[in-house]
Amino acid sequence: MSVHYRQAMELDLSRSDFPDDFVFGAATSSYQIEGSRFGGCGTSHWDTFAATPGNTVRSEGGALACDHYHRWESDLDLVRDAGFDCYRFSTSWSRVLPEGRGPANAEGLDFYDRLVDGMLARGLKPHATLYHWDLPVPLADLGGWRNRDIAGWFADYAEVVMKRIGDRVATAATINEPWCVAWLSHFMGEHAPGMRDIRAAARAMHHVLLAHGRATQAMRALGMDNLGLVANFEYAQAADDSAAAKAAARLYDGIYNRWFLGGVFKRAYPEDVLEGLGPHMPEDFENDFDIIGTTVDWLGINYYTRKLIASDGSTQFPALKEVEGPLPKTQMGWEIYPEGLHHFITWVQKNYTGELPIYVTENGMASHDEAAGGAVYDPARIDFLNRHLHAVRHAIAEGAPVKGYIVWSLLDNYEWAFGYEKRFGLVHVDFETLERTPKTSWHALQRALRR
Ligand code: FCB
């Protein structure tokens, strides 16, 4: 793999290059940092997926993770000291409701209560997400996202959490990345529950949005506002000039980028995707669009890369495959393509969200970062962030209502199927000692945010 980065030590942007009310932040998620074995947290499907050989690198799971459950105060200090305005975190369904439904774990609710107060005490706006993938196993046993009842279970969980912290969060999101929850996990089999089944996938593709709508309504009923959804986007390009590759890229774009926005903002799924999924969809799914299309107050965009797509030569839906591209890549093997972020901000605004506020809720890169003599040198990340911030600024200059930019991630953490190998943090974590060391990118952001 050849990588050509600018050897950047500084961002060439500063806070004053963005609107006055623009917020900068860092993101994490519960299962990736907290440690699921503490505090009466129930078992999630990520615990059992990871305990099954072959699913994750070295069968690593999140039982200890970054031990954030015990180190949250100093971790929040790192967010504040970088000069950030907000912190995006997620609540664990298993920690709050170990059985998925029924009695709440008081210790779990207390934890998020203290965490939110800890943010406010440090002048950080809490940006909460209700589901970042840690589904309680008792609900997985009942079919998880394949079961329509999950919409009600999720709305009930949303109510329990937000009755406790909803009065103090700046924004609340329902689902993180419905594509990962549904397609990656039920069709591609790469994330828990590791299924590869088109019927399961079609159902999950729909139920994840139904759950989003029901939870949004439950939060509205509590009197909350600033409610949103966080979706991920990949810029799909045809790998060659053939009509087959163009059609494959278009379908990839449909499954990944147009399905969920279509449901929420147009109350319809894209026809090209329905051609394949239609036979496997739940009966009368069209009747759910009033709930799915419940008004939201903002949209979160998670963006990392583009993909080159070709036909796989088969006739079986979706009949597509990824082809390796030529651009410099991150530790994940993902091409670096900042133009894609500009594209999605303007495309989403034009086709779906109009004047609705947009947040970039995740953007960042993994690199092979090593701590040496108390420092971690990561110039590639500084260049990556710089180029993507320019893309955001470009979109704002063209009139896009982008209200914030949140880096993935605060800490090196549990990167799902890749275990602890892929390092996305602004802060390095030594997974032997759990010691935290801010990387040069953390310092560069701190200087840029102070300027
Ligand atoms: C996103 C996830 C996040 C992290 C980054 C790298 O898809 O939301 O948890 O894994 O990718």
Side-chain angles (χ1 to χ4, degrees):
M1 184 177 72
S2 71
V3 180
H4 308 283
Y5 301 114
R6 195 164 64 87
Q7 294 296 297
M9 287 304 286
E10 296 292 343
L11 296 157
D12 65 14
L13 290 165
S14 62
R15 192 181 270 288
S16 57
D17 293 311
F18 291 84
D20 286 347
D21 59 350
F22 193 87
V23 292
F24 292 89
T28 61
S29 87
S30 48
Y31 192 77
Q32 293 178 274
I33 64 165
E34 287 176 1
S36 64
R37 70 175 193 230
F38 307 118
C41 184
T43 306
S44 83
H45 70 174
W46 265 97
D47 291 308
T48 56
F49 182 73
T52 311
N55 284 339
T56 70
V57 168
R58 291 181 293 268
S59 288
E60 285 169 352
L64 174 61
C66 302
D67 192 26
H68 172 76
Y69 189 74
H70 298 110
R71 298 164 193 254
W72 63 271
E73 291 179 270
S74 47
D75 287 342
L76 289 185
D77 289 347
L78 288 165
V79 185
R80 176 199 59 203
D81 293 346
F84 286 126
D85 312 299
C86 70
Y87 175 56
R88 176 170 178 249
F89 68 107
S90 77
T91 53
S92 158
W93 194 340
S94 301
R95 183 178 298 292
V96 172
L97 299 172
E99 296 296 318
R101 306 176 281 179
N105 168 31
E107 205 179 326
L109 282 172
D110 288 349
F111 173 69
Y112 294 117
D113 197 46
R114 284 195 303 272
L115 193 67
V116 166
D117 280 345
M119 291 174 223
L120 297 176
R122 290 167 180 78
L124 297 167
K125 293 189 166 74
H127 286 232
T129 299
L130 284 162
Y131 187 73
H132 203 127
W133 311 350
D134 26 19
L135 182 74
V137 285
L139 301 183
D141 291 343
L142 297 174
W145 292 103
R146 287 175 292 149
N147 187 335
R148 179 182 175 85
D149 291 345
I150 198 161
W153 304 331
F154 185 60
D156 292 345
Y157 156 65
E159 187 180 331
V160 171
V161 171
M162 291 306 167
K163 266 190 174 158
R164 189 64 180 269
I165 63 171
D167 57 335
R168 281 158 291 151
V169 299
T171 68
T174 52
I175 305 281
N176 179 70
E177 302 190 347
W179 179 86
C180 291
V181 174
W183 196 254
L184 185 67
S185 308
H186 296 82
F187 187 82
M188 297 173 70
E190 292 179 19
H191 278 187
M195 293 191 68
R196 298 192 62 247
D197 184 292
I198 194 161
R199 176 179 162 92
R203 273 140 213 277
M205 294 283 275
H206 183 66
H207 295 149
V208 71
L209 290 184
L210 188 61
H212 153 76
R214 288 284 305 275
T216 304
Q217 294 181 347
M219 289 190 279
R220 288 264 184 250
L222 294 175
M224 292 177 64
D225 56 12
N226 282 332
L227 310 179
L229 170 75
V230 171
N232 50 329
F233 298 88
E234 275 187 6
Y235 192 72
Q237 278 183 314
D240 57 60
D241 280 340
S242 67
K246 283 180 190 156
R250 178 79 187 145
L251 182 59
Y252 187 93
D253 176 68
I255 297 170
Y256 209 112
N257 304 318
R258 286 183 280 114
W259 178 272
F260 306 101
L261 294 186
V264 172
F265 295 102
K266 295 189 191 297
R267 301 186 177 204
Y269 293 135
E271 282 303 324
D272 50 351
V273 184
L274 266 183
E275 263 174 45
L277 289 188
H280 310 287
M281 291 294 285
E283 216 176 301
D284 296 330
F285 70 88
E286 298 91 343
N287 295 345
D288 293 328
F289 282 124
D290 281 348
I291 297 173
I292 290 173
T294 300
T295 303
V296 291
D297 305 311
W298 56 273
L299 178 75
I301 292 181
N302 291 357
Y303 175 77
Y304 290 93
T305 190
R306 75 158 183 178
K307 288 277 164 65
L308 296 187
I309 306 295
S311 157
D312 70 358
S314 79
T315 50
Q316 199 164 41
F317 177 88
L320 52 80
K321 63 174 184 194
E322 295 177 13
V323 176
E324 194 181 328
L327 300 177
K329 299 187 181 68
T330 70
Q331 189 191 16
M332 297 294 279
W334 295 346
E335 286 188 315
I336 299 174
Y337 189 66
E339 298 83 348
L341 181 55
H342 170 265
H343 161 81
F344 280 118
I345 293 170
T346 51
W347 173 82
V348 156
Q349 181 197 10
K350 178 161 174 261
N351 295 292
Y352 298 95
T353 57
E355 289 315 299
L356 213 61
I358 291 171
Y359 288 90
V360 176
T361 31
E362 286 182 28
N363 179 235
M365 68 172 277
S367 49
H368 302 269
D369 302 321
E370 285 170 21
V376 182
Y377 180 64
D378 64 338
R381 182 170 288 102
I382 298 174
D383 187 44
F384 182 101
L385 297 174
N386 201 58
R387 291 170 62 191
H388 285 80
L389 278 166
H390 273 285
V392 173
R393 197 168 167 238
H394 179 190
I396 293 174
E398 291 172 353
V402 191
K403 301 298 175 195
Y405 174 87
I406 303 177
V407 179
W408 183 271
S409 177
L410 174 67
L411 304 170
D412 290 342
N413 60 43
Y414 178 62
E415 182 45 39
W416 308 113
F418 295 95
Y420 294 93
E421 237 170 51
K422 309 293 182 194
R423 295 182 174 275
F424 273 93
L426 296 171
V427 175
H428 180 273
V429 176
D430 177 329
F431 289 106
E432 298 292 317
T433 63
L434 295 172
E435 189 186 344
R436 274 74 160 149
T437 310
K439 302 179 188 178
T440 48
S441 57
W442 182 95
H443 291 285
L445 269 165
Q446 185 194 53
R447 286 189 296 270
L449 293 173
R450 277 184 185 159
R451 277 198 295 272

